[in-house]
């Protein structure tokens, strides 16, 4: 009778290929390692864009394709861009993403590539979150490329983990869930703690800057109140009694409070602006608690439908919200305007036609008449007039706040508006007229901003080309990129200023916007493709021919910023007095690479994040061109006058 062979049952504990305690087949072992590596690569691919999004959140560095009006900025700065814990703390989703991906990578490695069921559920939850955010971006039609670059690899990683469950020769989990989960928790806490510390440091630095600006603004307001005004009967008058007609009253169309008030506040705002909404809480508190102020609103929505000074329209309903407020004011005066104003801010400026009509019915408006007025040219022209006025005052972001005609800088400091009002009220200023409030025009504002900037100690860079006086009265340093438009414009103005005087020293330091030679930029950032070549060409000319040859090449690079290539540089080499082969050998040498790296490192020591980054006698020029108008000559004139 034939013997029966013992066959392992389904519940048999007989060893299987790849199980612990056995030697897996070489192909299985190789496949396992490849799968482990594939999972790690996918998680690293998610970590990298998350890191750069975190960097943008912390330091304000503008990622390629992630500028102020981009879908990236809307997603990361919108409602779903952060997790809020009450009103005091907002934790950016990019922070959560970086912490999760780092923790997941640790759990993946400690699980040996074959995670236990509980660990797989952690990965699945991460995948569900990625699906949610991708769906949210598709629904809102705001596709953030950097966000997708993080979420898509994470979904592929989850798919890999799920596929391995059905791997034909998959061994049991190499480790129990405790070790991977412990690693996940530890790394998640450590990364979150590091991000929290970094965020606290950045906020502390920003608060110090805001507080310093706030204090300077309040001091300027107090000084202004001590100057005699036309409302003061004791003030000597140099104008006829009709003086108000020669000056423009700086006030809004629907002013809340008396015309002549001790404290007169004018705000340029937008109903879909986050900073404006934050400041609005203080506006409401002042309305409730003070009778010695007047409040005026002027509009600056970031929407091209009514604002020609913006390039895109991130505030999609900003124009209609502003026009709705103007309509309420036209139909019901001051009370109507402020009623609509508060309703608009309460809903962040967003509404559908149905929602607006429902609210108009509750307010008791004739809906047809309200919509007719709102859609008329009158409301559109009023909003446009406000934007023109704002640009004339040098506005570059909202909110922009004026108290008694003086700009309140540092408005983002805690309770900035309330504290400024209280400090000014403590001086018991007399009532003043809106005709007394004459804010600085854009030119004077930018000059004043530079004059108020504190000088810093500039770190020397021996490799930096410079010319002019050896013991200068004015020392100008520019960090620039030969392929960047405004660098070329500023360079021309500053070299002309240097050439016209014998007491100026001009120094040009390189900060090319190309990751191939600037490691401080995000991966793949090559917005100026020939920036590295241009920088190496300038430094090679300095090494081969000295300063005179360098400045010839410098001028050529500035004049041909869009035509820099190997061919054009070879063709131009003779006019520089250089042999083309020797020129290119010097450009590609390790010495030139090291010198360019020194320039970039020096730029980071000065906290350079953009170009041109200009210092005049150690004071950084924060704004020198606005809406295509150049104010750099005015700042230079102020420097000469100051000395």
């Amino acid at each position: 009778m034939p013997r029966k062979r013992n066959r392992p049952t389904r519940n048999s504990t007989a060893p299987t290929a790849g199980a612990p305690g056995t030697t897996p087949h070489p192909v299985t072992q190789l496949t396992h390692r490849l799968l482990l590596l594939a999972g790690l690569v996918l998680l690293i691919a998610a970590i990298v864009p998350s890191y750069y999004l975190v960097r943008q959140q912390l330091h304000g560095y503008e990622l390629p394709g992630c500028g102020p009006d981009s879908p990236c900025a809307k997603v990361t700065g919108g409602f779903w861009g952060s997790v809020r814990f009450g009103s005091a703390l907002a934790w950016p989703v990019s922070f959560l993403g970086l912490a999760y991906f780092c923790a997941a990578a640790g759990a993946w490695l400690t699980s040996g590539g074959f995670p236990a069921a509980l660990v797989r559920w952690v990965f699945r939850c991460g995948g569900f979150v990625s699906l949610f955010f991708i769906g949210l971006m598709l629904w809102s039609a705001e596709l953030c490329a950097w966000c997708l670059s993080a979420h898509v690899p994470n979904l592929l990683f989850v798919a890999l983990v799920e596929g391995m469950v059905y791997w034909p020769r998959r061994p049991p989990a190499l480790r129990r869930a405790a070790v991977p989960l412990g690693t996940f928790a530890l790394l998640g806490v450590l990364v979150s703690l590091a991000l929290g510390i970094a965020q606290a440091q950045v906020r502390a630095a920003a608060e110090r800057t805001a507080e310093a600006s706030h204090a300077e603004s309040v001091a300027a307001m107090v000084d202004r109140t001590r100057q005699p005004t036309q409302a003061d009967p004791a003030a000597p008058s140099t104008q006829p009694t009709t003086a108000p007609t020669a000056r423009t009253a700086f006030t809004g169309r629907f002013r809340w409070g008396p015309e002549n008030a001790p404290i007169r506040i004018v705000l340029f705002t937008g109903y879909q602006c986050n900073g404006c909404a934050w400041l609005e809480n203080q506006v409401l508190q002042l309305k409730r608690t003070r009778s010695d102020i007047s409040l005026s609103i002027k509009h600056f929505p970031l929407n091209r439908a009514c604002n020609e000074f913006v390039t895109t329209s991130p505030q999609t309903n900003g124009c209609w919200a502003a026009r709705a407020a103007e309509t309420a004011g036209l139909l019901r005066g001051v009370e109507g305007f402020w009623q609509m104003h508060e309703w608009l801010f309460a809903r962040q400026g967003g509404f559908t036609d149905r929602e607006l009509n429902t609210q108009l019915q509750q307010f008791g408006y004739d809906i047809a008449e309200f919509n007719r007025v709102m859609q008329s040219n009158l409301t559109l022209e009023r909003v446009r007039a406000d934007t023109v006025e704002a640009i004339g005052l040098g506005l570059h972001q909202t909110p922009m706040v004026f108290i008694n005609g003086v700009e309140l800088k540092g408005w983002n400091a805690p309770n900035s508006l309330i504290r400024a009002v209280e400090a000014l009220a403590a001086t018991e200023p007399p009532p003043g007229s809106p005709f007394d409030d004459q804010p600085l025009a854009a030119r004077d504002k930018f000059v004043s901003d530079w004059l108020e900037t504190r000088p810093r100690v500039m770190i020397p860079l021996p490799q930096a080309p410079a010319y002019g006086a050896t013991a200068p009265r004015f020392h100008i340093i520019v960090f620039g990129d030969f392929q960047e438009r405004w660098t070329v414009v500023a360079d021309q103005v500053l070299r002309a200023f240097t050439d016209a005087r014998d007491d100026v020293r001009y120094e040009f330091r390189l900060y090319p916007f190309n990751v191939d030679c600037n490691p401080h930029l995000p991966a793949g950032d090559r917005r100026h493709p020939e920036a590295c070549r241009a920088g190496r060409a300038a430094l090679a000319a300095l090494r081969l021919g000295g300063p005179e040859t360098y400045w010839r090449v410098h001028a050529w690079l500035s004049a041909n910023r869009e035509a820099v290539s190997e061919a054009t540089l070879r063709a131009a080499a003779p006019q520089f007095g250089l042999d083309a082969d020797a020129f290119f050998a010097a450009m590609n040498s390790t010495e030139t690479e090291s010198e360019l790296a020194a320039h970039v490192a020096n730029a980071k020591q000065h906290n350079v994040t953009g170009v041109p980054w200009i210092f005049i006698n150690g004071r950084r020029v924060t704004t020198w061109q606005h809406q295509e108008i150049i104010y750099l000559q005015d700042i230079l004139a102020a420097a000469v006058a100051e000395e």
Side-chain angles (χ1 to χ4, degrees):
M1 187 174 181
R3 296 177 61 187
K4 293 183 179 180
R5 296 182 180 179
N6 293 326
R7 297 180 179 177
T9 63
R10 187 168 185 171
N11 297 322
S12 171
T13 58
T16 59
T22 67
T23 302
H25 190 277
V27 175
T28 304
Q29 189 176 36
L30 176 61
T31 304
H32 167 215
R33 290 176 178 173
L34 290 175
L35 291 172
L36 180 65
L37 179 61
L40 182 61
V41 168
L42 288 171
L43 288 171
I44 291 174
I47 288 171
V48 170
S50 299
Y51 163 76
Y52 284 113
L53 286 170
V54 165
R55 186 176 171 184
Q56 182 189 46
Q57 293 275 355
L58 285 175
H59 303 295
Y61 180 83
E62 184 177 318
L63 297 172
C66 205
D69 301 334
S70 65
C72 172
K74 296 177 195 175
V75 171
T76 57
F79 177 80
W80 293 103
S82 59
V83 178
R84 303 184 183 278
F85 302 92
S87 59
L89 178 62
W91 196 251
V93 169
S94 60
F95 286 21
L96 292 174
L98 182 60
Y100 169 80
F101 296 134
C102 290
W108 174 249
L109 289 175
T110 53
S111 70
F114 291 105
L118 191 57
V119 181
R120 292 200 303 273
W121 272 109
V122 171
F123 296 152
R124 287 168 183 161
C125 289
F128 291 144
V129 172
S130 287
L131 279 175
F132 171 78
F133 278 104
I134 291 175
L136 195 66
M137 286 187 283
L138 291 172
W139 176 75
S140 63
E142 301 290 355
L143 292 178
C144 166
W146 288 89
C147 306
L148 288 173
S149 298
H151 290 303
V152 170
N154 184 47
L155 289 178
L156 294 175
F157 169 74
V158 175
L160 174 68
V161 173
E162 292 300 310
M164 291 178 66
V165 173
Y166 303 100
W167 192 257
R169 303 181 67 181
R170 178 187 181 277
L174 298 183
R175 292 177 179 83
R176 295 181 181 275
V179 173
L181 289 180
T183 304
F184 180 90
L186 178 62
L187 284 176
V189 169
L190 289 176
V191 174
S192 297
L193 182 62
L195 292 173
I197 293 172
Q199 186 183 51
Q201 292 175 337
V202 169
R203 284 183 174 177
E207 286 178 5
R208 287 193 297 270
T209 302
E211 286 294 345
S213 298
H214 184 270
E216 292 172 358
S217 297
V218 172
M221 293 171 197
V222 172
D223 288 342
R224 175 71 65 88
T225 63
R226 293 171 179 164
Q227 299 173 6
T229 68
Q230 295 302 313
D232 184 353
S237 176
T238 58
Q239 298 286 342
T241 55
T242 58
T245 60
R247 309 175 79 189
T248 303
F250 186 57
T251 187
R253 288 174 289 274
F254 304 105
R255 180 181 54 248
W256 185 91
E259 179 179 2
N260 294 326
I263 301 172
R264 303 167 297 282
I265 303 171
V266 178
L267 298 95
F268 285 89
T269 189
Y271 292 109
Q272 293 190 304
C273 154
N274 292 331
C276 305
W278 178 82
L279 199 64
E280 176 67 12
N281 293 325
Q282 298 177 60
V283 172
L284 295 178
Q285 184 174 338
L286 289 172
K287 282 185 64 182
R288 291 192 302 266
T289 58
R290 304 199 69 96
S291 59
D292 57 347
I293 65 172
S294 69
L295 284 165
S296 295
I297 299 297
K298 293 176 181 285
H299 307 289
F300 197 87
L302 302 184
N303 190 303
R304 284 194 57 79
C306 60
N307 188 346
E308 63 179 304
F309 302 105
V310 296
T311 55
T312 57
S313 303
Q315 297 174 7
T316 54
N317 203 53
C319 289
W320 286 117
R323 294 173 71 175
E326 287 297 311
T327 303
L330 285 166
L331 295 178
R332 292 190 177 176
V334 173
E335 294 297 328
F337 175 87
W338 283 95
Q339 181 187 48
M340 181 61 68
H341 172 90
E342 293 179 14
W343 179 76
L344 289 167
F345 263 125
R347 56 189 304 108
Q348 298 179 325
F351 56 80
T352 62
D353 291 345
R354 181 177 180 180
E355 289 168 340
L356 176 61
N357 291 339
T358 299
Q359 191 61 43
L360 292 176
Q361 187 175 25
Q362 294 179 13
F363 285 158
Y365 283 97
D366 180 323
I367 296 175
E369 175 66 6
F370 189 99
N371 281 286
R372 184 191 67 78
V373 175
M374 184 174 70
Q375 295 170 24
S376 69
N377 285 334
L378 177 59
T379 59
L380 177 61
E381 291 307 316
R382 286 189 167 198
V383 176
R384 284 177 172 169
D386 283 351
T387 65
V388 171
E389 183 180 7
I391 291 300
L393 296 174
L395 181 145
H396 58 85
Q397 68 171 354
T398 51
M400 190 178 192
V401 186
F402 293 89
I403 302 178
N404 291 7
V406 178
E407 183 185 358
L408 177 63
K409 300 173 185 176
W411 60 263
N412 52 333
N415 287 323
S416 58
L417 183 58
I418 292 173
R419 288 163 49 209
V421 168
E422 291 175 346
L424 190 56
T427 66
E428 299 183 352
S433 163
F435 289 99
D436 297 322
D437 302 335
Q438 300 297 315
L440 295 175
R443 171 196 174 278
D444 300 319
K445 168 183 163 56
F446 300 145
V447 171
S448 176
D449 287 347
W450 178 77
L451 290 171
E452 293 172 1
T453 301
R454 297 177 181 177
R456 62 170 295 173
V457 176
M458 303 302 294
I459 302 170
L461 180 63
Q463 300 93 332
Y467 80 100
T470 55
R473 179 183 172 195
F474 306 103
H475 189 188
I476 301 172
I477 297 176
V478 173
F479 292 89
D481 178 334
F482 287 114
Q483 287 207 297
E484 199 273 327
R485 173 194 176 194
W486 291 112
T487 295
V488 172
V489 172
D491 176 67
Q492 291 172 345
V493 173
L494 294 170
R495 281 194 289 134
F497 179 75
T498 304
D499 293 338
R501 301 179 64 92
D502 59 3
D503 56 357
V504 182
R505 187 164 185 80
Y506 179 53
E507 191 173 322
F508 192 89
R509 304 183 184 182
L510 295 164
Y511 192 76
F513 265 78
N514 189 314
V515 72
D516 292 338
C517 57
N518 188 343
H520 302 285
L521 301 177
D525 187 351
R526 296 179 177 85
R527 70 187 74 178
H528 296 156
E530 297 294 334
C532 296
R533 190 195 305 274
R536 291 196 303 269
L539 294 176
L542 182 64
R543 292 182 60 240
L544 292 176
E548 184 177 349
T549 302
Y550 164 81
W551 288 107
R552 283 202 296 268
V553 174
H554 178 110
W556 186 91
L557 291 168
S558 297
N560 297 274
R561 69 180 185 87
E562 295 181 345
V564 176
S565 67
E566 180 176 354
T568 57
L569 282 170
R570 280 191 175 276
Q575 73 185 70
F576 306 146
L578 298 173
D579 175 76
D581 291 336
F583 184 33
F584 271 80
M587 283 174 56
N588 298 321
S589 67
T590 55
E591 292 83 1
T592 300
E593 293 285 352
S594 298
E595 290 174 359
L596 184 55
H599 276 251
V600 173
N602 184 265
K604 295 314 295 180
Q605 290 178 302
H606 293 91
N607 302 316
V608 173
T609 58
V611 290
W613 206 265
I614 305 171
F615 292 92
I616 301 176
N617 288 350
R619 294 174 177 171
R620 187 184 159 221
V621 181
T622 53
T623 308
W624 59 272
Q625 64 85 19
H626 189 55
Q627 295 295 320
E628 302 291 322
I629 301 174
I630 309 301
Y631 297 98
L632 190 52
Q633 296 95 331
D634 299 299
I635 295 172
L636 292 168
V640 172
E642 184 185 38
E643 292 290 328

